[in-house]
Amino acid sequence: MPLNPTILRFDSLDSTNVEAMRQAKAGAREGLCIVARTQTRGRGRLDRSWQSPPDAGLYMSLLLQPKFEMNAWPLITLMAALAVHDALFKTCGLNADIKWPNDLCVGDKKLCGILAETLESSTGSFVIIGIGINLTAEVLPLVQAAATSIESVTGKPPDGERVLEGLLKSIGEKYELLNNMSGREHLIREWCDCSSYAIGRQVRVSLGAESFEGTTRGLENDGALRVEARDGRMRTVRAGDVTALRSLASGE
Ligand code: BTN
């Protein structure tokens, strides 16, 4: 069944992901999309926070109830990153890089982050995809990590509504691909085409206390990143942080 998004808008929320969870527990169904102009406790991956000043970013969360096997659910975050990539290209002419698993970057600066969370409730199992896109440069002084915005890259503030509309359309299309094996293979190929991290990139992988360096060797069919470590061992990365050791421009 095609995704049929319904948008629920708020001026201010703690977190659109948390609101999506509250709505799911109260009986909401797949397709509910929560959008806020600002968040007071925006959540990031690995327990980080997400700075969300008013109207400086697109802050949205989408409720999904996937019907396919749970072992394919990790592909949902890759699907979301690809959908953001497509929407940014179509609505802003911006060609962003995807950093595994689901950051959107321009050069080595982050433009968009995605936080997927799962929820078990009396009405079923949900995945909440939370997407934060830096629209204007206002957020940049607030974040310590290297970040950028659509405005900084393209030279003009984007129309957030167009970006949202393009994003929901793109998610609708890519989500359908996850229903069967050939669609999933297609999605992984597309993801690799849009990511300079997929193959041959020198990276450091941080897994909590442990970290190692190696060269990326593509994706497993559940979206895990294959990394050939310096000792020659092939490692499969399903969680953690991946950082590029050198930028491509420096002649790696
Ligand atoms: C990351 O750490 O890169 C993920 C950031 C995800 C931020 C978005 S903003 C909308 C949604 N609501 C949240 O609280 N987080 C996500």
Side-chain angles (χ1 to χ4, degrees):
M1 252 218 322
L3 191 67
N4 193 8
T6 311
I7 302 176
L8 203 52
R9 294 173 191 275
F10 294 81
D11 276 338
S12 176
L13 279 175
D14 46 359
S15 151
T16 56
N17 268 32
V18 173
E19 178 62 25
M21 287 186 194
R22 285 192 287 259
Q23 296 280 345
K25 285 178 193 157
R29 297 280 176 194
E30 174 161 278
L32 180 70
C33 173
I34 307 290
V35 180
R37 293 179 58 197
T38 184
Q39 300 182 113
T40 52
R41 298 187 66 180
R43 288 153 55 134
R45 283 180 71 229
L46 308 172
D47 277 336
R48 296 175 188 138
S49 59
W50 187 260
Q51 295 292 335
S52 315
D55 301 321
L58 174 61
Y59 318 117
M60 63 87 87
S61 299
L62 183 65
L63 211 53
L64 297 178
Q65 288 181 285
K67 307 292 175 298
F68 47 84
E69 324 82 89
M70 264 189 183
N71 61 9
W73 284 22
L75 288 173
I76 292 173
T77 57
L78 275 75
M79 174 284 287
L82 197 54
V84 175
H85 176 279
D86 267 26
L88 292 178
F89 189 71
K90 287 182 181 146
T91 62
C92 309
L94 194 156
N95 193 5
D97 190 13
I98 309 179
K99 179 162 101 66
W100 188 90
N102 51 19
D103 285 349
L104 276 289
C105 297
V106 175
D108 53 6
K109 294 189 175 162
K110 183 160 164 174
L111 181 76
C112 162
I114 299 174
L115 175 68
E117 301 186 273
T118 53
L119 173 77
E120 295 294 327
S121 94
S122 55
T123 52
S125 307
F126 292 87
V127 178
I128 292 114
I129 318 179
I131 300 178
I133 303 178
N134 299 333
L135 298 175
T136 73
E138 203 184 317
V139 71
L140 307 183
L142 302 175
V143 291
Q144 279 167 5
T148 192
S149 68
I150 298 179
E151 181 183 26
S152 315
V153 176
T154 64
K156 49 180 192 278
D159 177 345
E161 281 307 304
R162 272 197 72 214
V163 176
L164 174 64
E165 194 186 307
L167 182 54
L168 290 174
K169 184 165 181 286
S170 215
I171 292 177
E173 291 161 8
K174 309 278 178 213
Y175 186 44
E176 302 246 311
L177 291 173
L178 294 177
N179 286 320
N180 58 60
M181 278 311 282
S182 67
R184 290 174 202 166
E185 284 162 14
H186 178 85
L187 187 114
I188 286 178
R189 274 196 304 277
E190 268 199 278
W191 189 98
C192 289
D193 287 346
C194 298
S195 173
S196 72
Y197 283 75
I199 295 170
R201 193 88 195 253
Q202 306 291 312
V203 293
R204 174 174 296 112
V205 180
S206 306
L207 309 161
E210 192 212 348
S211 77
F212 69 94
E213 293 180 1
T215 308
T216 60
R217 297 286 184 229
L219 298 186
E220 298 285 344
N221 56 14
D222 66 352
L225 183 67
R226 280 196 293 265
V227 180
E228 187 178 343
R230 296 268 183 266
D231 61 7
R233 263 198 308 156
M234 195 62 79
R235 311 258 316 238
T236 303
V237 181
R238 293 205 155 75
D241 252 353
V242 170
T243 42
L245 287 177
R246 290 179 289 277
S247 77
L248 289 177
S250 69
E252 170 195 333

